C-alpha cells in the first residue's frame, strides 16, 4: 500500500503547475564542492546536457560507460557494476558512491543501486569524481563518486520523445515545465521496454519524476519524488559448451526473473543569512520492494531514511577566500520481509564532518576530516555489530594562470562491510573489518576556449580491502568474505576540443591493481583491464545534421574470482558506435548504430574450477527516434 500512497502524494502536487525562469546557481556534488574548485581539479569530470545529447545513450548505464575512468560490468540489465579505480570486479561497485541530486542511493547490502530509477532522458548532467574522498562523501567513497543531476525547471516548456530499436526496444518520454517568478514545478514520465539480446533478458520499466521548488533571495525549498516499477528476467551464465551448442542468446534459466518497485521522496530547505552563512537540511525517504526468483523465491523491502544538516560560511576579501563547510549526516536502513533467508536487520550510520577551502591569490588549500559510526542490529538473530572510522583529506593547489592549475593531494578514506558481508549464510562474520585506503595524488588541468586537457596520477594502498573469499565453497567453515591488503597505481589522461560544431576528444586510463598479501601476493585484481581508452569524434553542419563516432577499448583481464591468476586472461576488445542526427530549435531526429562492427565480446566472465561462466554482451543493434519541444 505504501507505493500507492506515494504515487498519490506525488500526483497531488500537480495543480501547482509552476516553474522557474532560470536556475539560480550551478551546484557540484550536492553543493559540497564549488564550481571553481571542480574546474581546477583534474579528477573531476562534468558531463553537461549538451554533452549527453551528442552521445545519445540508450540508457543511464550506456551514458556512464562513455565517461573517462568508468568501466561497466554487467550480468544483465538489472545487475550492473560500475568500476572506478581498479577495485576487484565483483566488489567494485561497493567502492564508489552513487548519488542522485546530491543524495546517496547506495544500498547497505551488496546489491548495486538500480539506475533504472533515473532514465537517461531525465538527466541534466553527470558529475564524476575519480579517486577517494570519504570526508565529503562518506562510506565507500574509496574509488570515486558519481552524482546524477536530474533536470531542473528552467522555463515553460513541454517535450515529448519517442524511440525504438533492435530486440523489441521502445522508449517514450514526456516532460512538462511551468513557471512563475518564485516557484516552479516539473513533471516527467518514462516508459521503457526491451526483449533483450538474450533469451529471458527482458526489461520493462516505467518511471514518474516530479519536483516543486519555492525560492526567494534567501530561502529555497525543494520537494521532489521519483517512482519506478520494473519487470525483468535473469538470463544467467553460459559455459563455452553451451555457447557452442546453443549460441550466445541461449539461457539456462528461462524462469528466473523479478518485479521491483522503488520510490524516493525528498525535501530540502536552505536559508542564506548572508554574512552569517548558509544553513540547509536535506531529508529523503527511499523504499525499495523486490520480488524475484533466483536460486529460490525472495521477497524483501528496504526502507532508507536520510537526513543531512549542513552549515556553510564564505569569506571573500580581495585575494583571500575561505569557504567552510561542516555538517552532520544520518542514515538508517531497515531491511525486512526477506522470505528466502528470513533475516530482518537495521543499519544506522551517523557522521560529523568539516571541510575548509582556502584561496590565497593563486594558491588554494583544502583540508577536511570526517568521523563516522555504524551500528548493525540483526534483529532476527538477536545480534549486533558496531564500527567506526575516521577520514582525512588535504589538497595543495596552485593556479598557474586563469587557464591552468596543478595540485597535490593526500586522502584517507574508508569502507564499512555491507550487511551481507557481515551477516553471512553461516552466521555473523566476526573476522571481517572495515577497509581503509590511503591515496597520494597529483594532477594538472588546462582549459582554453574550446580546448581542454587534464591528467592525474595516484597511488592507493588499501588495508583490509574486502574480498569474496577465493577458497570459500558451500561446505567451507571459513567466512565467505575476507580482508586482504592491496596496492593500486592509477593514471588518467583526458583531452580534446569541443565547440558547437566540432567534437574531438579522447581519454586513457591506466590501472595497475595488485593484491599484496598471503598466497595472492603480486596477483592482479580480477576483472580489471590495465589499459582503457575512449574516444569521440563528431561534426555538426550548418544545416543541423550531425555525424558522431565513439569507440572504447579495454585490454585483457583476468576472470572474476581468479585471484591467483591461474586461468589466463580474457582478450581485450574494442566496441564502437556511430550516430547521425538532425537538430533544429524545437525538434530533432536521430539514428544510432551501437557496436557497429558487431564485436562478439564478454565484459563479465566468472572463473570456477567446475567450469567458467560467460555472460555474452549485445551484438550490433540499432536505436532511432525523435523529439519535439514546445
Amino acid at each position: 500500500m505504501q507505493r500507492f500512497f506515494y504515487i498519490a502524494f506525488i500526483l497531488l502536487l500537480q495543480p501547482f503547475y509552476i516553474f522557474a525562469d532560470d536556475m539560480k546557481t550551478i551546484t557540484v556534488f550536492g553543493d559540497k564542492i564549488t564550481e571553481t574548485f571542480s574546474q581546477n581539479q583534474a579528477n573531476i569530470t562534468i558531463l553537461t546536457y549538451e554533452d549527453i545529447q551528442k552521445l545519445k545513450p540508450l540508457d543511464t548505464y550506456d551514458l556512464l560507460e562513455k565517461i573517462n575512468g568508468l568501466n561497466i560490468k554487467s550480468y544483465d540489465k538489472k545487475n550492473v557494476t560500475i568500476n572506478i579505480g581498479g577495485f576487484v570486479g565483483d566488489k567494485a561497485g561497493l567502492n564508489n558512491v552513487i548519488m542522485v541530486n546530491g543524495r546517496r542511493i547506495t544500498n547497505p547490502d551488496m546489491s548495486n543501486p538500480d539506475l533504472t530509477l533515473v532514465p537517461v532522458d531525465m538527466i541534466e548532467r553527470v558529475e564524476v569524481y575519480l579517486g577517494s574522498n570519504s570526508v565529503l562523501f562518506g562510506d565507500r567513497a574509496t574509488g570515486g563518486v558519481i552524482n546524477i543531476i536530474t533536470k531542473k525547471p528552467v522555463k515553460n516548456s513541454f517535450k515529448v520523445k519517442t524511440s525504438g530499436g533492435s530486440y523489441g526496444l521502445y522508449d517514450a518520454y514526456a516532460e512538462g515545465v511551468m513557471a512563475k517568478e518564485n516557484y516552479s514545478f516539473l513533471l516527467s514520465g518514462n516508459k521503457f521496454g526491451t526483449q533483450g539480446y538474450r533469451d529471458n533478458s527482458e526489461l520493462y520499466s516505467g518511471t514518474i519524476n516530479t519536483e516543486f521548488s519555492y525560492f526567494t533571495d534567501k530561502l529555497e525549498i525543494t520537494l521532489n519524488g521519483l517512482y519506478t516499477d520494473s519487470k525483468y528476467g535473469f538470463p544467467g551464465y553460459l559455459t563455452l559448451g553451451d555457447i557452442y551448442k546453443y549460441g550466445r542468446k541461449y539461457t539456462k534459466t528461462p524462469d528466473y526473473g523479478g518485479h521491483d518497485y522503488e520510490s524516493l521522496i525528498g525535501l530540502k530547505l536552505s536559508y542564506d543569512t548572508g554574512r552569517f552563512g548558509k544553513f540547509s537540511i536535506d531529508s529523503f525517504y527511499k523504499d525499495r520492494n523486490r520480488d524475484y526468483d533466483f536460486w529460490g523465491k525472495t521477497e524483501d523491502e528496504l526502507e532508507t531514511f536520510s537526513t543531512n544538516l549542513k552549515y556553510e560560511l564564505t569569506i571573500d576579501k580581495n585575494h583571500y577566500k575561505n569557504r567552510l563547510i561542516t555538517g552532520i549526516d544520518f542514515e538508517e536502513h531497515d531491511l525486512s520481509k526477506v522470505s528466502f533467508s528470513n533475516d530482518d536487520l537495521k543499519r544506522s550510520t551517523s557522521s560529523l564532518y568539516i571541510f575548509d577551502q582556502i584561496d590565497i591569490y593563486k594558491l588554494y588549500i583544502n583540508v577536511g576530516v570526517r568521523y563516522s559510526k555504524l551500528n548493525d542490529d540483526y534483529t532476527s538473530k538477536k545480534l549486533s555489530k558496531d564500527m567506526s572510522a575516521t577520514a582525512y583529506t588535504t589538497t595543495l593547489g596552485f593556479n598557474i594562470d586563469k587557464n591552468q592549475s596543478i595540485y597535490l593531494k593526500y586522502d584517507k578514506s574508508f569502507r564499512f562491510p555491507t550487511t551481507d558481508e557481515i551477516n553471512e549464510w553461516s552466521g555473523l562474520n566476526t573476522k571481517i573489518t572495515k577497509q581503509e585506503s590511503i591515496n597520494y595524488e597529483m594532477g594538472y588541468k588546462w582549459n582554453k576556449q574550446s580546448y581542454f586537457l587534464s591528467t592525474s596520477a595516484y597511488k592507493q594502498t588499501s588495508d583490509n580491502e574486502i574480498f569474496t573469499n577465493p577458497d570459500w565453497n558451500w561446505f567451507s567453515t571459513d567466512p565467505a568474505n575476507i580482508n586482504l591488503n592491496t596496492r593500486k597505481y592509477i593514471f588518467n589522461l583526458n583531452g580534446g576540443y569541443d565547440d558547437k560544431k566540432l567534437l574531438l576528444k579522447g581519454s586513457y586510463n591506466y590501472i595497475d591493481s595488485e593484491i599484496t598479501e598471503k598466497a595472492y601476493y603480486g596477483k592482479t585484481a580480477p576483472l580489471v583491464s590495465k589499459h582503457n581508452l575512449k574516444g569521440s569524434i563528431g561534426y555538426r553542419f550548418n544545416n543541423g545534421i550531425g555525424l558522431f563516432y565513439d569507440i572504447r577499448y579495454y585490454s585483457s583481464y583476468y576472470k572474476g574470482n581468479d585471484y591467483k591468476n591461474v586461468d589466463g586472461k580474457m582478450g581485450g576488445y574494442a566496441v564502437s558506435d556511430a550516430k547521425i542526427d538532425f537538430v533544429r530549435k524545437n525538434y530533432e531526429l536521430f539514428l544510432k548504430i551501437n557496436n557497429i562492427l558487431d564485436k562478439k565480446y564478454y565484459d563479465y566472465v566468472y572463473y570456477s574450477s567446475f567450469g567458467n561462466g560467460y555472460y555474452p554482451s549485445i551484438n550490433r543493434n540499432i536505436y532511432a527516434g525523435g523529439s519535439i519541444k514546445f
Side-chain angles (χ1 to χ4, degrees):
M1 291 297 294
Q2 285 181 326
R3 59 170 170 164
F4 296 108
F5 169 77
Y6 287 117
I7 294 172
F9 184 77
I10 291 170
L11 294 177
L12 283 173
L13 294 175
Q14 293 186 49
F16 285 99
Y17 289 127
I18 40 185
F19 254 69
D21 292 324
D22 294 289
M23 287 186 292
K24 295 171 64 178
T25 58
I26 295 177
T27 62
V28 181
F29 285 103
D31 223 3
K32 291 182 177 178
I33 295 177
T34 63
E35 188 178 12
T36 300
F37 175 61
S38 72
Q39 291 169 348
N40 293 337
Q41 292 290 106
N43 59 350
I44 296 177
T45 299
I46 297 179
L47 250 64
T48 65
Y49 179 75
E50 290 73 21
D51 297 327
I52 297 171
Q53 291 307 297
K54 291 176 183 178
L55 294 170
K56 276 293 179 297
L58 177 64
D59 54 29
T60 302
Y61 294 114
D62 186 31
L63 170 63
L64 297 179
E65 179 72 26
K66 307 295 193 299
I67 301 176
N68 172 45
L70 305 189
N71 190 348
I72 308 299
K73 301 287 186 183
S74 63
Y75 308 134
D76 48 62
K77 284 286 186 180
K78 290 290 288 188
N79 290 281
V80 183
T81 296
I82 302 171
N83 194 334
I84 309 177
F87 284 86
V88 62
D90 61 333
K91 300 286 189 181
L94 307 178
N95 283 279
N96 56 61
V97 173
I98 309 296
M99 302 192 298
V100 175
N101 297 323
R103 295 167 173 156
R104 293 168 57 103
I105 61 168
T106 304
N107 298 319
D109 55 16
M110 287 192 286
S111 64
N112 293 307
D114 183 5
L115 293 185
T116 58
L117 181 68
V118 190
V120 70
D121 289 304
M122 292 183 184
I123 298 175
E124 179 68 25
R125 77 178 187 276
V126 178
E127 305 163 348
V128 176
Y129 190 110
L130 300 178
S132 58
N133 198 325
S134 283
V135 168
L136 289 179
F137 306 113
D139 173 32
R140 299 197 195 179
T142 45
V145 183
I146 299 171
N147 188 25
I148 299 172
I149 308 297
T150 58
K151 290 180 179 178
K152 304 302 177 186
V154 177
K155 60 182 179 180
N156 294 332
S157 65
F158 180 74
K159 179 181 179 180
V160 176
K161 175 188 172 184
T162 182
S163 57
S166 304
Y167 307 111
L169 172 70
Y170 64 84
D171 190 7
Y173 175 76
E175 169 193 301
V177 178
M178 299 187 73
K180 289 189 177 181
E181 184 177 357
N182 294 109
Y183 40 88
S184 63
F185 178 78
L186 177 148
L187 177 67
S188 63
N190 176 257
K191 188 70 174 177
F192 177 91
T194 177
Q195 297 171 5
Y197 168 62
R198 295 181 57 198
D199 298 336
N200 195 35
S201 64
E202 68 274 4
L203 171 64
Y204 300 98
S205 67
T207 303
I208 298 174
N209 173 47
T210 187
E211 181 169 316
F212 166 72
S213 295
Y214 172 83
F215 48 85
T216 65
D217 290 340
K218 294 182 178 294
L219 175 67
E220 184 172 355
I221 303 173
T222 302
L223 176 65
N224 57 7
L226 268 171
Y227 174 81
T228 187
D229 191 316
S230 60
K231 295 182 180 180
Y232 50 90
F234 290 138
Y237 74 91
L238 298 174
T239 66
L240 288 178
D242 295 328
I243 296 170
Y244 178 78
K245 186 175 182 179
Y246 302 108
R248 292 167 55 87
K249 299 181 181 181
Y250 177 69
T251 180
K252 297 191 291 186
T253 56
D255 298 323
Y256 284 3
H259 179 198
D260 299 352
Y261 52 93
E262 191 166 356
S263 59
L264 187 152
I265 298 289
L267 174 65
K268 182 177 181 180
L269 300 92
S270 62
Y271 185 77
D272 192 344
T273 67
R275 62 180 295 188
F276 297 108
K278 181 179 180 181
F279 298 85
S280 66
I281 177 171
D282 189 356
S283 296
F284 75 89
Y285 168 77
K286 183 164 74 79
D287 184 32
R288 183 196 73 185
N289 289 265
R290 299 186 302 178
D291 181 357
Y292 62 93
D293 191 349
F294 185 74
W295 292 356
K297 187 75 170 177
T298 299
E299 295 182 44
D300 64 30
E301 180 179 15
L302 174 63
E303 296 179 282
T304 299
F305 307 86
S306 177
T307 298
N308 311 105
L309 302 172
K310 189 181 70 172
Y311 170 72
E312 175 187 340
L313 178 64
T314 300
I315 301 172
D316 194 350
K317 293 183 178 181
N318 297 325
H319 296 298
Y320 171 78
K321 186 174 183 179
N322 191 341
R323 183 173 184 255
L324 176 69
I325 304 172
T326 185
I328 299 172
D329 297 339
F330 175 77
E331 193 172 51
E332 182 175 278
H333 304 278
D334 189 347
L335 182 63
S336 59
K337 304 177 183 177
V338 186
S339 58
F340 191 36
S341 56
N342 197 31
D343 282 330
D344 295 343
L345 61 89
K346 285 187 177 181
R347 164 168 288 196
S348 61
T349 307
S350 54
S351 303
L352 173 66
Y353 70 91
I354 183 169
F355 184 74
D356 200 11
Q357 301 177 5
I358 303 169
D359 292 86
I360 307 173
Y361 191 51
K362 291 188 175 184
L363 185 71
Y364 63 91
I365 303 169
N366 305 297
V367 293
V369 61
R370 172 185 290 258
Y371 174 78
S372 294
K373 186 175 181 180
L374 174 145
N375 172 258
D376 280 351
D377 185 6
Y378 301 95
T379 53
S380 296
K381 296 182 177 180
K382 298 181 180 180
L383 297 171
S384 63
K385 192 173 182 70
D386 297 331
M387 290 188 186
S388 62
T390 305
Y392 307 95
T393 191
T394 181
T395 302
L396 175 64
F398 183 75
N399 294 315
I400 301 171
D401 54 38
K402 65 178 182 179
N403 299 316
Q404 55 184 332
S405 62
I406 58 174
Y407 68 90
L408 298 172
K409 176 188 171 186
Y410 166 84
D411 184 272
K412 177 188 175 186
S413 290
F414 63 89
R415 170 166 103 79
F416 291 128
T418 64
T419 54
D420 39 1
E421 287 172 332
I422 297 174
N423 185 31
E424 298 180 350
W425 289 84
S426 57
L428 214 62
N429 185 347
T430 58
K431 297 180 180 179
I432 200 79
T433 188
K434 65 188 176 186
Q435 168 185 322
E436 294 183 312
S437 299
I438 303 294
N439 213 65
Y440 301 92
E441 180 179 336
M442 63 177 66
Y444 168 81
K445 192 166 188 177
W446 172 79
N447 290 280
K448 189 173 184 180
Q449 297 176 343
S450 298
Y451 298 92
F452 60 94
L453 175 69
S454 64
T455 182
S456 64
Y458 63 88
K459 175 185 177 181
Q460 184 180 83
T461 56
S462 295
D463 290 336
N464 299 314
E465 183 175 333
I466 302 171
F467 283 73
T468 301
N469 187 348
D471 299 320
W472 183 86
N473 57 57
W474 293 104
F475 306 103
S476 176
T477 57
D478 294 328
N481 297 277
I482 60 173
N483 297 106
L484 295 172
N485 296 335
T486 62
R487 186 271 304 150
K488 302 173 183 66
Y489 292 113
I490 310 291
F491 174 74
N492 298 304
L493 177 65
N494 188 36
Y497 179 90
D498 189 3
D499 63 15
K500 292 183 178 180
K501 286 190 173 183
L502 179 63
L503 169 65
L504 181 63
K505 65 179 182 180
S507 66
Y508 172 66
N509 183 230
Y510 171 84
I511 304 173
D512 182 3
S513 178
E514 290 187 355
I515 305 170
T516 58
E517 189 179 353
K518 298 181 179 178
Y520 319 105
Y521 185 89
K523 303 301 181 182
T524 299
L527 293 173
V528 176
S529 295
K530 182 167 287 190
H531 305 284
N532 306 267
L533 294 97
K534 299 180 182 181
S536 298
I537 184 171
Y539 187 81
R540 186 167 303 284
F541 298 91
N542 292 332
N543 61 7
I545 294 177
L547 299 173
F548 299 91
Y549 177 83
D550 67 79
I551 186 170
R552 52 202 180 275
Y553 167 77
Y554 303 101
S555 66
S556 58
Y557 62 90
Y558 287 103
K559 302 174 185 67
N561 199 47
D562 187 11
Y563 294 96
K564 296 182 179 179
N565 301 165
V566 297
D567 199 49
K569 290 185 175 182
M570 291 295 297
Y573 59 91
V575 182
S576 55
D577 309 326
K579 187 197 77 168
I580 180 171
D581 65 9
F582 178 68
V583 177
R584 287 303 194 194
K585 183 178 179 180
N586 295 323
Y587 67 92
E588 66 173 319
L589 301 169
F590 67 89
L591 170 65
K592 186 178 180 185
I593 305 176
N594 299 307
N595 192 3
I596 190 170
L597 300 180
D598 202 23
K599 178 68 177 178
K600 304 294 191 298
Y601 68 100
Y602 310 89
D603 62 20
Y604 190 88
V605 181
Y606 187 87
Y607 165 74
S608 170
S609 57
F610 299 102
N612 299 333
Y614 295 79
Y615 294 82
S617 295
I618 190 169
N619 61 358
R620 183 190 297 122
N621 60 96
I622 297 175
Y623 176 49
S627 66
I628 185 168
K629 186 174 183 179
F630 303 96

